[in-house]
Amino acid sequence: MSELKEILKFYGEMGAEFLHLPVSDPRTDLAELNRSILQCRQCRLHESKTHYVPGEGSSRPDILFIGEGPGQTEDQFGRPFIGNAGQLLDKIIQKMGYRREDVFIGNVVKCRPPNNREPLIDEVEACLPFLRRQIELLKPKIIVCLGKVALNNLLGTSHSMGRIRGQLLRFNDIPLIPTYHPSFILHKKEKEEISQAKREVWEDMQKALAVISGQRP
Ligand code: URA
């Protein structure tokens, strides 16, 4: 601070009336990051994809949802979570009192793994710097990891989702809550199992809302 005062004093003595200080705008930085994602050739996934799926939403979101990687519909349109799992995620977002454009939705990998297989270690390693930079720029109040692939790759852990879901964790000082991936619910056959998984996700999202509003769950 004293350094800044010295600098301002110096410019004052020089007769300067205005100082144009560069202010970083997250939208500009995000746009630049998107451009790098759209040119990425760091792993094999760029060869088989149709479109890159960098992620989308508010540049100052309360919530950052992180999924695993684009599926077929996402790959076709270049947008995250717009297929069946996305429709369920949209309902969750709405129930939380947000619109899709109020939050940010991203993925661990930005290109679709062939046949929706899990991304391989080297693919995740190549893509994670993009996600880390997105988190740095977006500064969300909370991160919601959808499924164990998102959680374990981001944190470098090997948790089972059944055990860890709903627990308040942290990524670089940002609160993080893991919950089931929407596809996990969609793949269930029994009505009671579907209801229970939905109940548990809603329980986890209420914890996320409590963190956002400043009340610890
Ligand atoms: N599943 C994901 O993990 N991400 C998407 O974008 C879509 C489906």
Side-chain angles (χ1 to χ4, degrees), residues 6 17 59 79 87 110 148 150 192:
E6 281 300 309
E17 290 181 2
S59 56
R79 299 183 57 206
Q87 283 171 23
K110 316 302 190 201
K148 68 175 183 346
E192 186 40 47

Side-chain angles (χ1 to χ4, degrees), residues 53 66-72 74 79-86 105-109 146 150 181-183:
V53 184
I66 304 175
E68 176 175 330
Q72 189 177 20
E74 292 76 18
R79 299 183 57 206
F81 280 97
I82 54 165
N84 291 340
I105 305 174
N107 277 302
V108 170
V109 291
L146 301 167
H181 192 289
S183 300

Side-chain angles (χ1 to χ4, degrees), residues 24-26 29 33 75 82 85 103 106 109-110 116 135 150 156 170 177:
S24 157
D25 178 343
D29 295 338
L33 178 59
D75 177 59
I82 54 165
V103 302
V109 291
K110 316 302 190 201
N116 296 347
I135 296 172
R170 291 199 165 256
I177 289 202

Side-chain angles (χ1 to χ4, degrees), residues 37-86:
I37 294 172
L38 299 181
Q39 290 167 10
C40 178
R41 286 164 177 265
Q42 297 282 334
C43 83
R44 66 187 75 72
L45 293 182
H46 83 273
E47 292 165 8
S48 53
K49 60 116 192 45
T50 310
H51 288 108
Y52 292 95
V53 184
E56 65 184 27
S58 163
S59 56
R60 271 284 170 271
D62 283 358
I63 314 169
L64 165 61
F65 289 94
I66 304 175
E68 176 175 330
Q72 189 177 20
T73 317
E74 292 76 18
D75 177 59
Q76 207 179 334
F77 292 94
R79 299 183 57 206
F81 280 97
I82 54 165
N84 291 340

Side-chain angles (χ1 to χ4, degrees), residues 126-146:
C127 219
L128 260 188
F130 291 133
L131 179 60
R132 291 204 191 97
R133 180 73 179 136
Q134 285 176 321
I135 296 172
E136 200 173 84
L137 293 174
L138 294 166
K139 303 189 192 331
K141 292 188 182 152
I142 191 154
I143 297 170
V144 174
C145 280
L146 301 167

